Amino acid sequence: ALPIFKKPAKERNLVKIYAEVLRMGNTSATFRVEARAYNVFRGDEVTLLETNMTFVRVDDEGVPISISQTVKDKYRIPDSKL
């Protein structure tokens, strides 16, 4: 999916990045990512960008390799979220 740009970041904004695991495959993981501008004076956040990103684990030659079972277990997605 293409990124959804909601608002521009402005100079001197403190930008926070949040990510949530959506899917954990054999060699890749997909995340829902949000960038938010945080106002240090008011303590509120405004969403700037939302997107899904997929990362593939690769070896030194760029060949996809398996994600360890330990990592898969740590970031297991509950069935209720699928």
Side-chain angles (χ1 to χ4, degrees), residues 13-33:
N13 275 157
L14 173 61
V15 178
K16 293 184 172 186
I17 307 294
Y18 296 90
E20 172 186 18
V21 178
L22 294 178
R23 181 185 165 283
M24 184 73 63
N26 187 43
T27 61
S28 66
T30 301
F31 299 85
R32 179 180 181 277
V33 180

Side-chain angles (χ1 to χ4, degrees), residues 13-14 36-46:
N13 275 157
L14 173 61
R36 299 180 193 166
Y38 177 73
N39 185 310
V40 294
F41 302 106
R42 293 190 312 261
D44 62 341
E45 295 179 339
V46 176

Side-chain angles (χ1 to χ4, degrees), residues 5-82:
F5 293 94
K6 296 188 170 210
K7 293 185 178 262
K10 296 179 181 169
E11 188 174 344
R12 296 189 181 173
N13 275 157
L14 173 61
V15 178
K16 293 184 172 186
I17 307 294
Y18 296 90
E20 172 186 18
V21 178
L22 294 178
R23 181 185 165 283
M24 184 73 63
N26 187 43
T27 61
S28 66
T30 301
F31 299 85
R32 179 180 181 277
V33 180
E34 266 189 23
R36 299 180 193 166
Y38 177 73
N39 185 310
V40 294
F41 302 106
R42 293 190 312 261
D44 62 341
E45 295 179 339
V46 176
T47 301
L48 304 173
L49 168 112
E50 294 177 355
T51 193
N52 292 346
M53 299 176 78
T54 301
F55 294 89
V56 178
R57 183 173 186 227
V58 296
D59 63 15
D60 291 338
E61 282 78 44
V63 177
I65 56 175
S66 294
I67 296 171
S68 74
Q69 191 60 47
T70 303
V71 172
K72 289 179 185 179
D73 291 344
K74 183 174 181 176
Y75 296 101
R76 182 177 308 272
I77 303 164
D79 291 337
S80 61
K81 290 189 87 176
L82 297 177

